[in-house]
Amino acid sequence: MDPKNIVDKDASFFGQPGGLQTLFFTEMWERMSYYGMRALLVLFMTASMQEGGLAITVASATAIYGLYTGGVYFMGLPGGWIADRLLGGQRATWYGGIIIMLGHIVLAIPSEASFFIGMILVVLGTGLLKPNITAMVGQLYSSDDDRRDGGYTLYYMGINIGSIIGYFVTGYLQENAGYHWGFGAAAVGMALGLIQYKLTQPKLKGVGEKPAKPMSAGAAKRSWAVIYLLLAGLAVVTYLALTGVIIINPVAVAGNVAIIFTVIFFLYYLSIFLFGKLTRNEMKRLGALFLVCIASTMFWAGFEQAGSSFNLFARDLTDRMIGDFEIPTTWFQSLNSIFLVTLSPFFAALWINLSKRMINPSYGFKSAIGLIIMATGFIVMFFASQAAASGLKVAPYWLVAVYFIHTVGELCLSPVALSAVSKLSPKRMAGQLMGVFVLTYAMGNVIAGLLAGGLDPENPQAMPELYWTIFMFGVSVGAVVFVLAFFTRKWEKLPPDDGEADNDDHPGAVIDANEPVSKP
Ligand code: GLN
């Protein structure tokens, strides 16, 4: 029997399948480690040597930050492919988690070399874990199970509960014990995630146990050989860079990487259309998903100022004193996750209420609205930075307001988009398409890092104009997505592809869209 039919009836985790519990807590701890470490990253790089930092300039530090966060998500593309073709989601998640934990352990060692090696390990591990654990959430549901959106909303709450724990724990440790204790705490978080994953893995009941479209033994062997070769190449480049044989200019690299990621995204998407043996329905559904991907990229390019320019704005330009208490810089970023966890139930109720009134905004519409709301947050930053440019530190409410607006935008777009990917992708490509989608995070993050380079708190006079440009750009793209969503709305609503049931048994088979198919 198909595993998804067994878990279909299961409602043991807040009305959702029990497997969601496994994925919820694993991702919660993984995100605790990711955001906990990330919150410290720019602060650590830009802090002086005396303060225990690396004394890197803001432009380089934000570019490295953008490359790191971009790299984390870029690796989701090969990570998704490895799960679909070689490992299956469950093993990809497990090994990914182990590599992430090792990365944080290396980061805890105070040296410049270990800092960069640790980051590379986290990048590789997250690539393996993130898209696959996210795709497995969707695989807990059969295609007509309407709990999918709710399941993703709950899962997204888990992500943010993990982030809150991360921000508070590492922020506290950094201020009271030093940066490397913060990085070490991230390793402990990931270890807890791995332990609970192993203990509760049976709840997944076979979901993601095997690759969705396995390769022949020979082809798999060749693929692994290529993967090992690439990893060896990466090790050599890292060694040469650390020993100073090759000099890497992070700002220049980040600019090129943004272009390379974008080209890869378009080529990969196009190749799925050309060589993915899609039926007509699948093509239309992926066309609708493409629009969501564009909105997602633009969204994160703005939103991801959180860890970079907003972080520095909080540190240098915000009056963080309440009486005698100084609010730690990292706490501001946690506002996003706190608002998210608090607002999630309202949004879940809003979508249910709207659908009861037969108003069911499509994935495209919701994404457009999310993008536009996020962009309006930059009007607030425009005024806040104008106030800061006068030389006085500004009140903390400005950032609180921005984070609130950004979180409302995020709730309209992000969990909705994950559900869209899982719903609109052909099952045999679930991991890969989640990898392609995660690439929109990568593009967004690298662009965000580049933008942040122009937002140096040393030079607040330059800020208002750039924040205004981000606002205008975000709203314009949001408006275009909104209009296009009128067209893609119908494509999203097409029934699960005519050939879906057969496709699962014969991955890659071309099925005529008009051919009747009997469901098992
Ligand atoms: N907060 C979300 C997550 O961690 C989205 C991250 C992102 O940068 N797109 O999954």
Side-chain angles (χ1 to χ4, degrees), residues 35 130 134 152-153 155-156 159-160 292 295-296 299-300 303-304 340 351 363 366-367 370-371 406-421 434 437 440-441:
Y35 284 108
K130 179 82 171 153
T134 315
Y152 270 107
T153 306
Y155 173 75
Y156 209 77
I159 286 180
N160 285 279
V292 175
S296 171
F299 180 88
W300 296 112
F303 183 95
E304 288 297 345
L340 197 130
W351 301 141
Y363 292 127
K366 285 181 184 163
S367 309
L371 176 55
H406 276 191
T407 308
V408 172
E410 184 181 5
L411 273 162
C412 294
L413 181 137
S414 191
V416 170
L418 293 179
S419 187
V421 183
M434 198 54 90
F437 179 72
T440 69
Y441 298 176

Side-chain angles (χ1 to χ4, degrees), residues 356-367:
K356 273 190 195 144
R357 276 159 223 210
M358 307 302 279
I359 310 166
N360 242 332
S362 68
Y363 292 127
F365 280 128
K366 285 181 184 163
S367 309

Side-chain angles (χ1 to χ4, degrees), residues 133-451:
I133 193 168
T134 315
M136 279 197 288
V137 172
Q139 288 158 16
L140 298 171
Y141 306 92
S142 59
S143 49
D144 52 359
D145 190 334
D146 51 14
R147 291 179 301 167
R148 181 190 306 265
D149 282 14
Y152 270 107
T153 306
L154 192 58
Y155 173 75
Y156 209 77
M157 267 177 98
I159 286 180
N160 285 279
I161 294 171
S163 318
I164 296 172
I165 303 172
Y167 289 132
F168 280 97
V169 171
T170 62
Y172 179 83
L173 285 172
Q174 178 244 317
E175 310 236 340
N176 293 288
Y179 287 101
H180 296 283
W181 283 92
F183 296 144
V188 174
M190 192 63 249
L192 291 174
L194 284 166
I195 293 168
Q196 89 77 35
Y197 181 68
K198 260 289 153 245
L199 291 179
T200 60
Q201 204 169 1
K203 286 181 188 286
L204 291 173
K205 297 183 184 165
V207 162
E209 199 161 34
K210 295 198 185 73
K213 196 184 168 196
M215 288 181 140
S216 68
K221 226 174 171 175
R222 282 191 297 279
S223 300
W224 280 118
V226 173
I227 292 167
Y228 289 133
L229 213 66
L230 288 172
L231 288 176
L234 178 66
V236 171
V237 174
T238 310
Y239 177 77
L240 294 177
L242 288 176
T243 49
V245 178
I246 49 171
I247 309 282
I248 295 178
N249 173 352
V251 180
V253 173
N256 292 325
V257 163
I259 298 168
I260 294 169
F261 281 2
T262 311
V263 170
I264 291 177
F265 170 78
F266 281 109
L267 287 181
Y268 205 100
Y269 218 100
L270 188 70
S271 72
I272 289 177
F273 265 90
L274 295 179
F275 310 116
K277 299 186 176 152
L278 302 177
T279 64
R280 261 164 279 170
N281 274 8
E282 283 175 336
M283 282 190 183
K284 288 181 181 159
R285 287 157 66 96
L286 286 188
L289 185 60
F290 185 75
L291 189 66
V292 175
C293 287
I294 299 295
S296 171
T297 306
M298 292 301 147
F299 180 88
W300 296 112
F303 183 95
E304 288 297 345
Q305 295 305 316
S308 51
S309 77
F310 292 177
N311 206 4
L312 295 171
F313 195 92
R315 186 185 69 183
D316 297 339
L317 302 175
T318 303
D319 177 10
R320 290 181 283 114
M321 295 306 292
I322 302 181
D324 290 339
F325 176 68
E326 184 176 40
I327 311 167
T329 309
T330 49
W331 285 20
F332 281 90
Q333 282 184 76
S334 66
L335 284 172
N336 165 234
S337 299
I338 293 171
F339 284 140
L340 197 130
V341 174
T342 327
L343 293 174
S344 282
F346 293 102
F347 271 78
L350 175 72
W351 301 141
I352 292 169
N353 258 318
L354 284 178
S355 67
K356 273 190 195 144
R357 276 159 223 210
M358 307 302 279
I359 310 166
N360 242 332
S362 68
Y363 292 127
F365 280 128
K366 285 181 184 163
S367 309
I369 303 276
L371 176 55
I372 292 169
I373 293 175
M374 186 283 297
T376 53
F378 281 95
I379 303 181
V380 179
M381 278 318 282
F382 169 76
F383 288 114
S385 56
Q386 264 189 344
S390 69
L392 285 177
K393 288 198 171 187
V394 303
Y397 316 118
W398 290 104
L399 279 175
V400 175
V402 176
Y403 278 117
F404 180 82
I405 298 171
H406 276 191
T407 308
V408 172
E410 184 181 5
L411 273 162
C412 294
L413 181 137
S414 191
V416 170
L418 293 179
S419 187
V421 183
S422 123
K423 180 97 197 241
L424 299 174
S425 309
K427 285 201 177 58
R428 60 187 186 278
M429 300 177 181
Q432 283 177 72
L433 273 160
M434 198 54 90
V436 174
F437 179 72
V438 168
L439 196 50
T440 69
Y441 298 176
M443 292 186 286
N445 274 282
V446 182
I447 300 169
L450 287 171
L451 289 173

